[in-house]
Amino acid sequence: NAGVTQTPKFQVLKTGQSMTLQCAQDMNHNSMYWYRQDPGMGLRLIYYSASEGTTDKGEVPNGYNVSRLNKREFSLRLESAAPSQTSVYFCASSARSQGTGELFFGEGSRLTVL
Amino acid sequence: AQSVTQPDIHITVSEGASLELRCNYSYGATPYLFWYVQSPGQGLQLLLKYFSGDTLVQGIKGFEAEFKRSQSSFNLRKPSVHWSDAAEYFCAVGGMRFGAGTRLTVKP
């Protein structure tokens, strides 16, 4: 059982380039989330999707867009990458919405923007 | 506004010693509370959660946590730490807002 799968695991971009992080879950969960993890700051919520067809901003949405393609997939797009977006990105899913259920995490995607 | 504070950035304990990791929160109502653990290079794994009822909750790997409404705290404890417990620990409130984390080092 794969759980939450993120691709790619590592990526190096130049400032101004765009890219999409892909996330898929096979647990039939309704809610999906994107976080970024930076040293000393824990995990900060970028965007979340409570159900298929809906997305909402989290704490740090600027510079990102998301797409809930279907119930399984939730992608995160950087349209014009900046060095401040260097981080480790985690996708998570949950059977329950609004933070009331356990989050299941992917292994993370390490992004470096030069 | 919701907030989570983990006052200790880094804690070092000897193997076999007891452990307590602190978590304080600010929330409008009784929150859903979680503790997660992250091993190096890995995603996060749930240790335990509190929704309601008994304020002392048991989790995996021998961890427990106590919800204290009067202190707005949800501290994580373990009676005897093992070397494999070395990791980073995150408290989460409302399921979506995380603290900055506490890194645990275990001395032999």
Side-chain angles (χ1 to χ4, degrees):
Chain A
N1 194 354
V4 179
T5 303
Q6 295 180 229
T7 56
K9 287 187 167 42
F10 299 94
Q11 184 73 47
V12 178
L13 292 177
K14 294 181 180 178
T15 297
Q17 288 185 317
S18 62
M19 76 157 298
T20 299
L21 298 175
Q22 306 285 356
C23 175
Q25 52 91 10
D26 62 4
M27 296 173 282
N28 200 36
H29 285 168
N30 287 319
S31 300
M32 297 187 73
Y33 307 79
W34 276 106
Y35 288 89
R36 60 178 289 173
Q37 183 178 26
D38 303 291
M41 305 191 75
L43 278 77
R44 291 181 292 169
L45 183 63
I46 304 171
Y47 272 94
Y48 68 98
S49 170
S51 61
E52 186 179 352
T54 68
T55 61
D56 286 287
K57 295 179 180 180
E59 299 172 67
V60 289
N62 291 345
Y64 305 95
N65 287 301
V66 291
S67 296
R68 183 75 182 266
L69 305 170
N70 47 55
K71 192 171 186 178
R72 289 188 65 247
E73 298 173 288
F74 189 39
S75 63
L76 178 71
R77 183 161 178 83
L78 287 69
E79 291 290 353
S80 179
S84 60
Q85 295 178 303
T86 293
S87 188
V88 181
Y89 292 85
F90 286 97
C91 178
S93 70
S94 177
R96 298 172 64 171
S97 63
Q98 299 303 317
T100 61
E102 174 184 357
L103 294 174
F104 292 82
F105 286 86
E107 293 188 347
S109 299
R110 183 175 294 274
L111 174 66
T112 301
V113 183
L114 303 175
Chain B
Q2 301 173 26
S3 66
V4 187
T5 302
Q6 293 181 248
D8 304 305
I9 296 172
H10 184 206
I11 285 182
T12 299
V13 300
S14 297
E15 191 167 16
S18 63
L19 171 70
E20 183 170 27
L21 303 182
R22 296 181 291 164
C23 174
N24 295 97
Y25 65 88
S26 173
Y27 198 83
T30 300
Y32 293 82
L33 296 161
F34 304 79
W35 274 99
Y36 288 86
V37 61
Q38 183 182 33
S39 298
Q42 301 293 314
L44 279 72
Q45 179 187 20
L46 181 72
L47 282 175
L48 47 78
K49 59 190 176 188
Y50 172 78
F51 290 170
S52 63
D54 193 346
T55 57
L56 184 64
V57 294
Q58 303 297 320
I60 63 171
K61 306 184 181 185
F63 285 92
E64 66 178 26
E66 186 172 12
F67 169 59
K68 292 186 177 180
R69 184 192 306 274
S70 61
Q71 299 178 18
S72 297
S73 69
F74 188 56
N75 293 349
L76 182 72
R77 302 194 293 248
K78 187 170 184 177
S80 177
V81 170
H82 187 262
W83 64 266
S84 61
D85 293 325
E88 188 147 21
Y89 292 80
F90 294 92
C91 180
V93 172
M96 296 195 294
R97 185 172 289 272
F98 285 78
T102 298
R103 185 161 62 92
L104 174 65
T105 298
V106 181
K107 293 191 302 184

